[in-house]
């Protein structure tokens, strides 16, 4: 998810490690169909941003390894004036579950894993829900930052610390926080440290690749040990993936990135989908910025469908095969978000929304990570 990277601690170069054997890109299944079969029937992925929805949209996206991810999740990055407010998760997560959300997205950095775990634990204890009823995504490996004072991720840049061991220890802490024995999807939150950060010196390309590979090896280990059901990345660019994919024993199954009409990320979305890597959009409303939901094009389309501008944006993302994790404290908005899949945008409407792209970000730019 989107957070302010803030001030960071100095980074230092690390030695290289040997890369593993190359692996073929995995196939991703949407509604039971291989993505390549889908393209043969429906057209190229490049056309996806302008295609209308299929008659019956699935409620879950099936990953390469058959793990299903609900298309509409609930994000738990609660910040007020860039200050973490994990206590807000108690009521918000409980409300989301009561309204029917079964996909909860969290992260070690958000500081609310314990709160999420406590709410879920109450449902498990009461018998209202079973563990397998809930899809939990969490993220580890976020660089230290001014709004992340409890960070123990110095392993991301310190050559004296093992990124492999650091990721394992951080994930074991996540399991303890959440009070569960596994999560459904574990992501590397950021691919490294910002090259133009206020304190970090620029790491060498070799050092950055080494740290990323060490972190990914740890996720592969956790997957092999069945401590996670699926593994992936977040905020990885095409360049980061180009470096990582040839070295994977198990390729990433997900890339969670910022996507909204002002940042369509079409090239990266196509790149990932062609390689069987699913996409989750965080900050789908541009973190409430840029007056996105007031844009005349979006407002006009929303009026024609009798829906809100936000719901139209969510429909645009879902019709591109992108999972969404919007966040809201309003029960009415939460209900509306779940109904976004019922909106069927036309090809022209999809094109009009896609044409709003201006590569404008509301969150830090991962292209600044070497």
């Amino acid at each position: 998810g989107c957070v302010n990277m803030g001030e960071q601690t100095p980074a230092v170069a690390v030695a290289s490690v040997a890369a593993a054997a190359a692996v073929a890109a995995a196939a991703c299944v949407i509604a039971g169909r291989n993505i390549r079969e889908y393209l043969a029937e429906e057209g190229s992925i490049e056309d996806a941003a302008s295609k209308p929805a299929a008659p019956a949209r699935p409620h879950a996206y099936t990953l390469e390894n058959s793990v299903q991810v609900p298309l509409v999740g609930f994000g738990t990055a609660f910040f007020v004036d860039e200050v973490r407010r994990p206590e807000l998760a108690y009521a918000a997560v409980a409300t989301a579950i009561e309204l029917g959300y079964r996909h909860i997205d969290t992260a070690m950095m958000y500081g609310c894993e314990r709160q999420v775990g406590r709410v879920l634990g109450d449902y498990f204890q009461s018998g209202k829900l079973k563990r397998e009823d809930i899809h939990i995504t969490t993220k580890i490996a976020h660089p230290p930052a001014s709004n992340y004072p409890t960070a123990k991720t110095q392993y991301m840049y310190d050559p004296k610390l093992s990124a492999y061991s650091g990721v394992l220890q951080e994930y074991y802490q996540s399991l303890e926080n959440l009070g569960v024995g596994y999560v459904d999807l574990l992501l590397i939150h950021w691919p490294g440290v910002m090259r133009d950060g206020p304190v970090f010196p620029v790491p060498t390309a070799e050092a950055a690749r080494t740290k990323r590979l060490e972190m990914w090896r740890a996720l592969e280990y956790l997957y092999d040990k069945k401590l996670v059901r699926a593994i992936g990345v977040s905020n990885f660019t095409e360049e980061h993936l180009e470096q990582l994919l040839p070295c994977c024993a198990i390729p990433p199954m997900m890339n969670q990135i910022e996507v909204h009409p002002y940042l369509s990320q079409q090239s990266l979305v196509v790149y990932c989908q062609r390689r069987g890597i699913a996409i989750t959009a965080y900050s789908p409303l541009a973190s409430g910025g840029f007056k996105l939901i007031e844009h005349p094009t979006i407002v006009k389309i929303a009026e024609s469908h009798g829906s809100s501008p936000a719901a139209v944006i969510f429909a645009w993302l879902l019709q591109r095969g992108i999972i969404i994790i919007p966040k809201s404290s309003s029960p009415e908005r939460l209900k509306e978000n779940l109904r976004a899949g019922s909106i069927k945008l036309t090809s022209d409407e999809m094109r009009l929304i896609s044409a709003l792209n201006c590569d404008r970000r509301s969150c830090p730019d991962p292209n600044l990570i070497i």
Side-chain angles (χ1 to χ4, degrees), residues 139-354:
K139 300 176 281 291
I140 46 81
H142 187 294
S146 58
N147 58 354
Y148 188 17
T150 58
K152 295 181 179 178
T153 53
Q154 289 76 14
Y155 63 77
M156 297 183 73
Y157 59 83
D158 191 335
K160 298 186 292 295
L161 298 176
S162 165
Y164 181 93
S165 297
V167 162
L168 294 182
Q169 292 307 310
E170 191 177 2
Y171 178 63
Y172 297 148
Q173 183 62 57
S174 278
L175 290 182
E176 182 178 334
N177 293 345
L178 290 163
V180 295
Y182 68 92
V183 301
D184 299 278
L185 178 61
L186 177 64
L187 306 178
I188 294 175
H189 205 154
W190 286 86
V193 297
M194 292 288 177
R195 72 177 72 177
D196 67 344
V199 179
F200 277 131
V202 178
T204 66
E206 183 180 40
R209 286 195 297 269
T210 295
K211 285 294 187 182
R212 271 194 291 279
L213 182 55
E214 288 177 356
M215 292 190 292
W216 186 252
R217 288 279 182 263
L219 264 64
E220 290 178 330
Y221 170 84
L222 293 167
Y223 182 77
D224 184 59
K225 295 299 180 182
K226 296 183 170 40
L227 292 173
V228 294
R229 297 183 65 223
I231 53 178
V233 296
S234 179
N235 297 300
F236 272 53
T237 65
E238 289 182 41
E239 183 179 357
H240 296 139
L241 290 167
E242 281 287 304
Q243 295 168 1
L244 182 66
L245 285 174
C247 306
C248 293
I250 304 166
M253 303 166 193
M254 179 72 71
N255 191 10
Q256 185 178 123
I257 57 175
E258 179 181 359
V259 191
H260 47 75
Y262 288 167
L263 184 68
S264 68
Q265 298 264 40
Q266 182 66 359
S267 176
L268 181 55
V269 169
V270 169
Y271 176 91
C272 288
Q273 289 180 338
R274 280 180 166 172
R275 289 158 179 79
I277 302 171
I279 295 290
T280 295
Y282 71 76
S283 297
L285 300 179
S287 304
F290 313 138
K291 297 184 178 180
L292 173 61
I293 61 174
E294 298 176 24
H295 194 284
T297 296
I298 294 173
V299 170
K300 183 177 180 180
I301 293 172
E303 290 173 348
S304 71
H305 286 272
S307 67
S308 71
V312 163
I313 291 171
F314 297 153
W316 172 75
L317 289 162
L318 291 170
Q319 286 181 213
R320 295 174 65 195
I322 296 174
I323 298 161
I324 60 173
I325 47 171
K327 177 186 63 189
S328 177
S329 57
S330 164
E332 286 308 310
R333 287 180 183 171
L334 287 170
K335 289 178 188 176
E336 185 179 46
N337 294 349
L338 281 177
R339 293 194 296 265
S342 65
I343 298 172
K344 310 295 189 241
L345 301 178
T346 66
S347 297
D348 285 343
E349 289 170 335
M350 291 290 290
R351 277 193 288 268
L352 285 170
I353 297 172
S354 296

